[in-house]
């Protein structure tokens, strides 16, 4: 029995079709926490789905994790769409959420709709995500009105790095917490199906969760959100350097790859690979 089948008999998650935003809401309504990871390629997408991760985000963090940029700002729709296609091809049941990159939606509902439609038509995604609260409500209303599921993103919004003054600052302390709560309520009213809360105090996330019906998806938002998301390379130990406090490493993928590649290079240098067993007669 596959992992997905075993899980679905217990939790009522669908096995023979893709998870929808209604399934995510139903899980939240019955008090079941669920997880998301980022994914930018076919193979990791399939692994994460098999592991029971319900929704995958083709995030603009691909700018850093895949393309080597130092922020999320440079990635474009044209660069994201092939990654969305790859993640969709690699999955059968996971809900695929595609990020709207910086510059693709801020100008208003028209550009936002055009970008979101590309993610669904060309990429095959089932939903999109954008950053911001009340300032992007017209965009959220337009997308939701067009039948496009929209995930909001509040707190630390990396596309605003140039005004936030760094990506490690906890957002929403003091009066800013009331603003964030108002943004979250406005997103829900505008038709968002979920909202990411990034790098905010756990107490604020608890309040937001209590005030919303739609799922809250935490990343650095404490234990009380309905769902959690991490960048997969952080979760699996591929990234280096100092990581945010909220990241928990579940594997040493970097160490494993380094060791494998080192043994391969040494075997080639010593003439041990390829040997007879790996050659054609
Ligand atoms: O792009 C991304 O990976 C994200 C997550 C960190 C939430 O927005």
């Amino acid at each position: 029995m596959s992992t997905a089948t075993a899980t679905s008999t217990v939790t009522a998650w669908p096995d023979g079709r893709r998870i929808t935003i209604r399934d995510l809401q139903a899980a939240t309504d019955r008090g079941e926490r669920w997880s998301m990871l980022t994914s930018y390629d076919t193979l990791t997408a399939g692994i994460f789905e098999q592991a029971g991760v319900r929704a995958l985000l083709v995030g603009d963090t691909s700018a850093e994790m895949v393309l080597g940029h130092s922020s999320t700002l440079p990635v474009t729709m044209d660069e994201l769409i092939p990654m969305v296609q790859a993640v969709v091809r690699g999955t059968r049941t996971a809900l695929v959420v595609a990020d709207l990159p910086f510059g693709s939606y801020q100008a208003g509902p028209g550009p936002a709709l055009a970008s979101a439609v590309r993610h669904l038509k060309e990429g095959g995604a089932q939903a999109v995500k954008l950053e911001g609260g009340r300032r992007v409500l017209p965009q959220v209303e337009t997308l939701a009105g067009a039948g496009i599921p929209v995930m909001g993103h509040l707190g630390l919004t990396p596309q605003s790095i140039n005004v936030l003054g760094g990506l490690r600052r906890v957002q929403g302390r003091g009066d800013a917490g009331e603003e964030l709560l108002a943004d979250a309520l406005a997103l829900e009213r505008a038709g968002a199906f979920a909202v990411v809360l990034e790098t905010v105090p756990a107490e604020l996330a608890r309040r937001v969760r209590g005030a919303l019906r739609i799922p809250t998806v935490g990343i650095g938002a404490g234990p009380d959100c309905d769902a959690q998301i991490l960048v997969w390379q952080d979760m699996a130990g591929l990234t280096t350097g100092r990581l945010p406090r909220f990241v928990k490493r579940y594997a040493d993928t970097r160490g494993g790859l380094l060791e494998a590649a080192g043994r391969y290079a040494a075997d080639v240098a010593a003439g041990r690979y390829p040997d007879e067993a790996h050659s054609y007669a």
Side-chain angles (χ1 to χ4, degrees):
M1 195 190 286
S2 75
T3 310
T5 308
T7 309
S8 66
T9 53
V10 179
T11 63
W13 288 96
D15 185 34
R17 62 163 173 81
R18 268 196 204 273
I19 290 166
T20 67
I21 60 169
R22 285 168 175 261
D23 295 311
L24 299 181
Q25 183 68 56
T28 296
D29 290 345
R30 63 179 180 263
E32 185 179 337
R33 288 170 206 252
W34 43 274
S35 57
M36 294 185 67
L37 280 173
T38 62
S39 177
Y40 320 100
D41 68 276
T42 293
L43 291 181
T44 62
I47 292 167
F48 300 156
E49 173 181 89
Q50 193 183 342
V53 175
R54 307 300 179 185
L56 299 174
L57 172 67
V58 186
D60 59 2
T61 42
S62 53
E64 298 156 297
M65 298 295 148
V66 178
L67 302 175
H69 295 294
S70 58
S71 81
T72 61
L73 299 189
V75 74
T76 63
M77 284 296 300
D78 285 344
E79 288 169 328
L80 273 176
I81 282 174
M83 298 188 228
V84 177
Q85 291 169 335
V87 168
V88 170
R89 285 186 204 115
T91 50
R92 203 173 47 84
T93 59
L95 177 86
V96 178
V97 183
D99 236 346
L100 291 176
F102 179 63
S104 73
Y105 63 94
Q106 283 87 351
L113 183 60
S115 304
V117 164
R118 284 194 69 194
H119 269 328
L120 268 63
K121 277 180 98 115
E122 296 175 45
Q126 291 84 53
V128 299
K129 178 171 82 58
L130 48 66
E131 295 184 4
R134 281 161 289 179
R135 66 189 157 89
V136 293
L137 282 197
Q139 286 89 325
V140 174
E141 278 163 3
T142 297
L143 300 190
I148 300 174
V150 192
M151 180 177 271
H153 185 156
L154 296 173
L156 199 154
T157 47
Q159 291 180 11
S160 304
I161 182 174
N162 290 309
V163 292
L164 289 178
L167 287 186
R168 290 189 187 270
R169 296 198 173 185
V170 177
Q171 305 293 311
R173 286 197 169 125
D175 289 348
E178 303 307 317
E179 295 297 315
L180 190 145
L181 181 57
D183 277 336
L185 286 164
L187 284 172
E188 177 173 89
R189 271 195 304 274
F193 76 89
V195 60
V196 171
L197 300 176
E198 180 165 353
T199 317
V200 301
E203 171 58 27
L204 176 61
R206 196 174 308 131
R207 281 182 67 205
V208 174
R209 182 196 185 193
L212 297 190
R213 176 164 183 260
I214 58 171
T216 49
V217 184
I219 172 165
D224 292 317
C225 290
D226 302 291
Q228 294 292 327
I229 183 167
L230 282 175
V231 171
W232 86 256
Q233 290 90 341
D234 290 343
M235 180 279 299
L238 192 58
T239 41
T240 52
R242 197 165 73 86
L243 289 171
R245 171 193 171 97
F246 62 78
V247 172
K248 180 172 176 184
R249 286 193 185 280
Y250 286 85
D252 179 20
T253 304
R254 185 180 183 82
L257 272 180
L258 197 58
E259 199 259 340
R263 282 197 292 118
Y264 162 72
D267 275 2
V268 170
R272 287 189 296 267
Y273 178 83
D275 54 11
E276 206 182 314
H278 297 93
S279 302
Y280 298 104

